[in-house]
Amino acid sequence: MRALAEIADAADAATRAAVLARGARDLLGDASVASVLLFADDAVETAIEPAGARGFVLRDGSAELRRLFLHALARFGEASAIFVPRERQRAFVGVSATVGERDLFVAPLLADGRTLGVIAAFVDGEPSHELGDELIAFAAAVSRVLAMDRALVAARRQSRDSQLLGMVNERLHKSLDRRDVLFGIVEGVRAAFEADRCVVFSRSPDGEHASIVAAATSSAEDVELARSLPLDADLRRVFGGLTVRRDVFDGSPIYGASARSAVALPFVVDGRVEDALVLAYDRPRAFADADVSALRSLSFHVGLALSNARLYERERARRAQAESLEHVVRILRDTQYVDEVLLVFVVTVSHELPVDCAAYVLDGDVLVRRAMRSSEPRGFEPAVSLERAALEPFLAVDEPSDASLLPRPSRDMLFDGRAGVIVPLRLEGALWGTFVVRWNEDALAWPQAERATFFRTLGSHLEIALANARAYERELRRAQERETLAEAARTILAFTEVGALAAVLSRLAATLARADRACVLRWSGERYVVVGAYGDRADSTIARSGFDLEHRAERLPGLVEDERRVQRLIDGPGYVVIPLAGPGDGDTIDAFLLVGRDTEERFGRDDLRIMQELGALLALALRNLDLYESTHLANRALKESNSFKDDLLAMLAHDFKGPLTVILGYCELLLESDPASAEEIETVYSQTKRLVRLSEDALVLAQTQAEGFSLARSVVDCCAFVADCVDAIARNNPRVLLDVPPERLAVELDPTRFRHVVDNLVSNALKYSQDDIRVIVRRHGDRVAIEVRDRGIGIPEGELSTLFTRFGRASNAREFGIAGSGIGLYVARKIVEVHDGRITVTSREGEGATFVVTLPLAVG
């Protein structure tokens, strides 16, 4: 209790740790060496009792090393106190340099699901239950005290941060002048963070100096306002948008000659840093992450306040522009069609402002003028069309480009020596067109930045109006297309012959896409043949598309089911190829719809979409015509699957479940009657339970042959996963050599299911070989390879192809009298395949075998 009172009164983490270490050693006795590790945001405070003794410490205070330590500790159980004998401390080798010297007794300090630290003591032998209970109670009480202390500190910080933000908001309400805002906050910030000086620097126009615009000090020291200082390395970083934290240093002109610690933050206003806040301390101080976060939040809000002040200053200058813009937008709101929108826009802009205006639409690689109005009768008319390449650099940016920046030929074609801007128009993320505005030099005497903003805003409203008009036109067309597709869907139900169906839908596809011909190709067993067509010269479309009639098309490998549902069409100049295959049609594509034009004009996005939908209808119709034959084949496959399932279920019920249940029962009896051998019996018990789980997995596999596996995937480190599997099945077996790389190879798999694959391969290697076996994990391109090599009896070359089939076993295994059921590798193959992987084997009889499992690396 005295230790708890001292902890509550401790001024810092180092004192708390020292008090805790003394209290823990008092409980455990003088023969122990007590270490206390208290976890902070970015450090670990460590104390050892007796002082100077060699106790348990972490290699460093990083968050990653703490995570590894807690992960290693969790392997010994979830108890409130954990005893780790010296021979089992190899799990801590990577996190501590003092392991294996004495037995270790650890009590975590837990509060609200978080680990605040640990009490770790070197002892000689496992402490008694009474002593362990005392240490657990001590740790629980300490955890509560630490949790309350942290909650109190957090509450104080939150109160301080709320007061600071309230102060900023109050200053903003009182004045929208930038200088008033900055003068109003410096003293409050200095006092809240107990700094000796709080200074705000403003960057000069040349970018090489900064002047003091507001300051507050804790003493009578005067800070000369408007004093200009050259930018040092720290201020350059701050004006670059970074936060600079200097915990210990000797003073500088920026922070003050007496400064020993400082922090500097930027004020971001409209995406630029023009001011910086500096807090300086005449004493060394370590800045907590929470304090820096609070300062960043304050910086953000001050930046907003300065932005508001700047917006207020600009508002009056923009009012006239806003009125003109409002008139343009109000008129555009009532238009429905694209051409109408462009015409209304150029007329209204030319009327509201003393300018000439023209709108261009991108047609391939050419910009074509679609609307134009001059403010002067019979004035200059810009070019009717021009190549996109002539304006390419200026169309690639989202901001308006000044006419003076354009090449002379383009400038003469569009502006005829006058001032102006060119504004790109983008719809759905792609360049759609542009509008050009031209005026006399003195007609628009606005600042260049405001002028660019005005025309960019004008362009944004035009883009919205155009997007709405295009959506309206698209919806009208889609309504017509939906009606046509509905009629097509009703029509296909009346067909029972492939040729007639293909001819009708080819005609419909050509009509909807405004094409000249269309045809349907289908695999005949040897090549693709035309089964229905519309228009003449179908061969020309096939030749233009480069379609290979002699080879059967296959799907891209590695697609998941949702991706297989989306059919990828191929379009080119004057043609489009649509695959006609559903998600359940296997890995080949046996039918295609080809649509072509006489010209090389590419099909538009709407044309491609309607052909995609029509292709889906045609694929469905072709699938319905083949349904009877598919049903017959499916029934036969179902009978074979049911037969295999019955055999597998009978074998599992008779040969596995009964003996395993008996073993589990005797293990439970031994655990109760023989505590001295509890560890060994627990190992047998856990491995037997795993065998039961594996047999149950095989049962699930047999029961779900038609539907496939049910997986609980997660991203794991393949190296650690394989090492854990090998350790579980062949712990301390000198014959097993494990070779894994140091890098993390992340894969997405079901650990419970996939463990069966590794266990099966390692067990088989041990069973069929008397020599050493090697388990290798390596990276193979964008996949991970798991190899299991043995030098055993090998597999006859002629039997390799049947090894992964149901009940497939090598004949020489029976000759050597090695027992086995022949289903392990079949089940392993099933598990690997549903993980998008592959399993292969290479072997020579009498020389051993190598099994290789490959899995795709996890994305991200």
Side-chain angles (χ1 to χ4, degrees):
M1 297 303 293
R2 184 181 64 188
L4 294 178
E6 293 179 2
I7 292 172
D9 295 336
D12 51 37
T15 306
R16 293 191 191 96
V19 172
L20 274 175
R22 289 196 299 271
R25 188 165 185 264
D26 290 343
L27 283 175
L28 295 172
D30 294 340
S32 64
V33 176
S35 298
V36 172
L37 288 73
L38 297 182
F39 301 155
D41 290 335
D42 54 357
V44 175
E45 190 66 51
T46 304
I48 301 174
E49 185 66 28
R54 185 174 172 83
F56 182 85
V57 295
L58 298 182
R59 291 184 183 275
D60 59 55
S62 67
E64 179 65 18
L65 196 66
R66 277 184 282 164
R67 186 186 66 79
L68 292 175
F69 166 64
L70 295 176
H71 178 72
L73 188 63
R75 295 177 59 184
F76 296 95
E78 301 293 337
S80 299
I82 301 169
F83 175 70
V84 185
R86 69 185 68 186
E87 62 271 11
R88 296 188 64 193
Q89 293 177 19
R90 61 180 179 275
F92 301 130
V93 168
V95 298
S96 175
T98 58
V99 298
E101 299 179 358
R102 297 175 65 184
D103 296 334
L104 184 64
F105 195 47
V106 182
L109 302 176
L110 305 173
D112 298 328
R114 296 179 56 197
T115 303
L116 307 180
V118 295
I119 301 173
F122 282 143
V123 296
D124 295 319
E126 184 173 4
S128 64
H129 289 295
E130 293 79 6
L131 189 58
D133 291 341
E134 290 183 14
L135 184 61
I136 292 172
F138 178 69
V142 168
S143 298
R144 288 192 293 271
V145 172
L146 292 177
M148 289 188 292
D149 180 71
R150 293 193 178 190
L152 180 60
V153 171
R156 289 173 178 169
R157 285 175 174 166
Q158 185 175 6
S159 175
R160 177 202 63 192
D161 298 345
S162 299
Q163 291 176 0
L164 284 175
L165 296 182
M167 176 189 66
V168 173
N169 292 331
E170 181 182 358
R171 295 304 307 177
L172 183 60
H173 286 303
K174 288 183 177 179
S175 174
L176 285 173
D177 181 75
R178 169 177 168 272
R179 189 173 295 272
D180 288 346
V181 171
L182 295 176
F183 266 105
I185 66 169
V186 287
E187 175 57 31
V189 174
R190 186 207 64 78
F193 289 92
E194 300 176 351
D196 293 293
R197 283 172 299 283
C198 179
V199 182
V200 176
F201 289 93
S202 181
R203 183 163 52 180
S204 62
D206 63 7
E208 297 298 327
H209 295 77
S211 59
I212 300 175
V213 295
T217 65
S218 60
S219 62
E221 174 187 1
D222 289 331
V223 178
E224 181 183 352
L225 296 181
R227 182 164 61 99
S228 179
L229 298 172
L231 294 183
D232 64 0
D234 283 356
L235 270 188
R236 289 184 186 277
R237 293 174 61 193
V238 174
F239 282 119
L242 301 178
T243 298
V244 174
R245 182 167 60 182
R246 302 285 297 273
D247 290 342
V248 178
F249 74 106
D250 293 329
S252 72
I254 297 297
Y255 302 117
S258 59
R260 295 297 175 264
S261 299
V263 62
L265 302 96
F267 290 153
V268 180
V269 181
D270 296 340
R272 297 184 58 198
V273 179
E274 297 180 355
D275 301 291
L277 174 72
V278 172
L279 286 175
Y281 297 81
D282 293 342
R283 60 194 183 281
R285 168 176 173 167
F287 295 96
D289 289 346
D291 288 338
V292 176
S293 297
L295 283 169
R296 286 174 176 160
S297 177
L298 174 69
S299 170
F300 173 75
H301 282 80
V302 172
L304 289 181
L306 295 177
S307 296
N308 290 336
R310 176 171 293 180
L311 287 174
Y312 176 76
E313 294 171 359
R314 294 175 177 173
E315 185 59 30
R316 288 171 295 180
R318 295 177 177 172
R319 191 164 299 167
Q321 302 173 15
E323 292 176 356
S324 300
L325 183 63
E326 181 183 0
H327 190 201
V328 174
V329 171
R330 187 167 56 250
I331 295 177
L332 288 178
R333 194 179 299 140
D334 298 329
T335 55
Q336 292 182 326
Y337 297 95
V338 171
D339 289 338
E340 181 184 2
V341 168
L342 293 175
L343 181 60
V344 168
F345 174 79
V346 297
V347 170
T348 306
V349 170
S350 180
H351 180 267
E352 289 292 320
L353 305 170
V355 298
D356 301 335
C357 186
Y360 289 80
V361 175
L362 185 64
D363 185 4
D365 291 329
V366 178
L367 288 165
V368 180
R369 193 180 74 196
R370 294 278 287 272
M372 174 264 180
R373 188 177 188 276
S374 174
S375 59
E376 302 173 357
R378 299 178 182 179
F380 169 75
E381 288 193 12
V384 175
S385 65
L386 70 161
E387 295 292 327
R388 172 179 178 170
L391 302 175
E392 188 63 44
F394 308 98
L395 299 177
V397 298
D398 290 333
E399 294 300 317
S401 298
D402 195 87
S404 60
L405 301 177
L406 270 63
R408 172 59 71 88
S410 301
R411 189 164 68 243
D412 292 342
M413 293 172 65
L414 295 176
F415 299 98
D416 190 32
R418 293 190 182 182
V421 295
I422 177 171
V423 183
L425 300 173
R426 302 185 189 280
L427 297 182
E428 299 178 357
L431 181 68
W432 185 84
T434 183
F435 73 88
V436 176
V437 180
R438 187 180 76 117
W439 63 84
N440 291 324
E441 284 295 338
D442 56 349
L444 294 180
W446 302 343
Q448 184 174 356
E450 292 187 8
R451 189 168 60 208
T453 301
F454 173 77
F455 284 114
R456 178 66 264 171
T457 305
L458 198 62
S460 298
H461 285 287
L462 178 55
E463 289 172 345
I464 294 172
L466 289 170
N468 291 336
R470 290 187 68 195
Y472 176 77
E473 293 179 352
R474 188 183 297 118
E475 189 58 35
L476 287 179
R477 184 179 177 189
R478 286 183 177 177
Q480 298 171 352
E481 292 171 352
R482 284 194 294 268
E483 183 178 350
T484 303
L485 289 174
E487 181 62 28
R490 291 190 292 268
T491 301
I492 64 174
L493 298 176
F495 287 94
T496 58
E497 197 272 320
V498 172
L501 173 66
V504 169
L505 290 187
S506 295
R507 177 179 57 81
L508 183 59
T511 302
L512 289 175
R514 298 181 298 280
D516 299 297
R517 63 188 61 86
C519 65
V520 176
L521 301 177
R522 201 172 192 201
W523 183 255
S524 64
E526 297 180 353
R527 67 194 306 271
Y528 288 97
V529 296
V530 177
V531 295
Y534 169 78
D536 57 356
R537 296 191 301 153
D539 292 343
S540 65
T541 301
I542 297 174
R544 178 183 290 180
S545 66
F547 191 91
D548 186 357
L549 298 175
E550 305 299 329
H551 295 88
R552 199 174 189 180
E554 296 183 357
R555 296 179 187 269
L556 290 175
L559 295 182
V560 298
E561 187 65 21
D562 287 342
E563 291 172 328
R564 292 164 70 93
R565 295 179 182 276
V566 181
Q567 302 304 312
R568 305 294 183 186
L569 55 79
I570 303 171
D571 70 302
Y575 72 88
V576 63
V577 180
I578 304 105
L580 306 178
D585 287 348
D587 293 329
T588 60
I589 304 176
D590 292 341
F592 289 87
L593 172 64
L594 275 67
V595 182
R597 287 174 171 164
D598 288 336
T599 66
E600 294 190 355
E601 179 185 1
R602 301 183 76 100
F603 290 92
R605 182 178 300 179
D606 290 336
D607 294 330
L608 297 178
R609 178 184 51 77
I610 190 64
M611 285 189 284
Q612 185 93 30
E613 296 178 4
L614 187 60
L617 281 176
L618 182 53
L620 178 62
L622 294 174
R623 186 172 178 81
N624 288 339
L625 293 177
D626 295 335
L627 186 59
Y628 177 78
E629 183 180 356
S630 299
T631 303
H632 176 71
L633 295 176
N635 286 335
R636 187 170 65 184
L638 181 60
K639 290 179 182 179
E640 294 177 358
S641 178
N642 285 335
S643 175
F644 167 68
K645 179 182 67 176
D646 293 341
D647 292 342
L648 186 60
L649 286 174
M651 184 193 68
L652 288 175
H654 184 268
D655 293 340
F656 281 75
K657 296 295 291 291
L660 292 176
T661 304
V662 173
I663 294 173
L664 285 176
Y666 277 102
C667 285
E668 292 173 354
L669 291 176
L670 289 173
L671 284 172
E672 297 176 357
S673 60
D674 189 7
S677 303
E679 184 175 353
E680 293 80 4
I681 298 170
E682 183 66 35
T683 301
V684 175
Y685 182 77
S686 63
Q687 294 300 315
T688 306
K689 286 183 66 179
R690 217 171 96 219
L691 285 175
V692 172
R693 185 170 64 251
L694 291 175
S695 67
E696 292 172 349
D697 287 346
L699 252 170
V700 173
L701 173 63
Q703 293 169 347
T704 59
Q705 277 293 300
E707 293 79 14
F709 285 93
S710 174
L711 299 178
R713 294 177 185 261
S714 61
V715 177
V716 301
D717 180 5
C718 188
C719 301
F721 175 79
V722 172
D724 183 64
C725 293
V726 172
D727 183 66
I729 194 172
R731 177 174 297 172
N732 300 324
N733 190 333
R735 290 177 53 206
V736 181
L737 305 178
L738 180 63
D739 183 6
V740 298
E743 63 175 319
R744 172 180 169 86
L745 299 177
V747 294
E748 185 177 13
L749 50 76
D750 183 336
T752 303
R753 299 283 190 194
F754 211 82
R755 183 178 290 271
H756 175 76
V757 177
V758 180
D759 289 357
N760 183 271
L761 296 179
V762 175
S763 299
N764 284 350
L766 291 171
K767 182 165 61 173
Y768 291 100
S769 171
Q770 300 301 318
D771 294 331
D772 292 345
I773 70 169
R774 293 181 65 84
V775 181
I776 304 170
V777 180
R778 58 184 172 82
R779 186 187 187 112
H780 185 66
D782 59 351
R783 301 176 75 85
V784 175
I786 305 170
E787 292 187 15
V788 180
R789 302 177 182 174
D790 67 72
R791 292 180 289 179
I793 64 174
I795 304 162
E797 183 177 357
E799 299 176 12
L800 290 174
S801 60
T802 62
L803 196 62
F804 296 101
T805 59
R806 306 171 190 168
F807 308 110
R809 295 194 68 208
S811 58
N812 58 347
R814 300 185 180 91
E815 295 172 2
F816 280 87
I818 302 175
S821 63
I823 67 165
L825 289 177
Y826 173 74
V827 173
R829 177 175 68 85
K830 286 287 188 179
I831 295 174
V832 170
E833 288 177 349
V834 299
H835 283 85
D836 299 325
R838 293 185 60 196
I839 180 169
T840 57
V841 59
T842 56
S843 175
R844 287 188 178 180
E845 189 173 4
E847 296 182 8
T850 299
F851 287 83
V852 180
V853 176
T854 60
L855 293 172
L857 286 167
V859 179

